[in-house]
Amino acid sequence: MESINFQDAEGRIFLTVQNPDGCTVLDVNRALADLVPRDFVPLEEALSHYRDIIHTSGLSSLQFADMISQQRGFLGDHE
């Protein structure tokens, strides 16, 4: 598909994802990420969550980042 529309409960389109080569999961993820507010409160909450995950993993921040970077999704297209 070159284009995917997402609708709300009333049928209004709130997001359109386009890729002339065909939409991928990564295209959709990036478009959904653009919907996230750009203020610092949600960002701080997300960072706190990831700090907790790192802490409970028993790995250093560098080790955890390296482990995450190896997980490229089932299509191998995540960075």
Side-chain angles (χ1 to χ4, degrees):
M1 301 176 94
E2 291 181 7
S3 178
I4 302 171
N5 291 323
F6 292 86
Q7 300 177 356
D8 63 16
E10 284 89 41
R12 294 181 301 237
I13 294 173
F14 68 90
L15 177 66
T16 299
V17 179
Q18 295 178 327
N19 183 338
D21 296 324
C23 292
T24 67
V25 172
L26 184 58
D27 294 325
V28 172
N29 284 344
R30 287 179 174 159
L32 290 172
D34 285 341
L35 295 177
V36 176
R38 299 287 187 218
D39 62 39
F40 288 106
V41 173
L43 178 60
E44 286 299 325
E45 290 177 11
L47 288 174
S48 174
H49 173 71
Y50 283 108
R51 284 185 197 109
D52 290 344
I53 291 173
I54 292 169
H55 178 72
T56 59
S57 74
L59 302 172
S60 71
S61 297
L62 182 60
Q63 290 170 322
F64 190 81
D66 186 53
M67 180 188 71
I68 293 292
S69 70
Q70 302 302 314
Q71 300 175 11
R72 297 184 49 80
F74 69 95
L75 296 176
D77 62 350
H78 295 147
E79 295 179 11

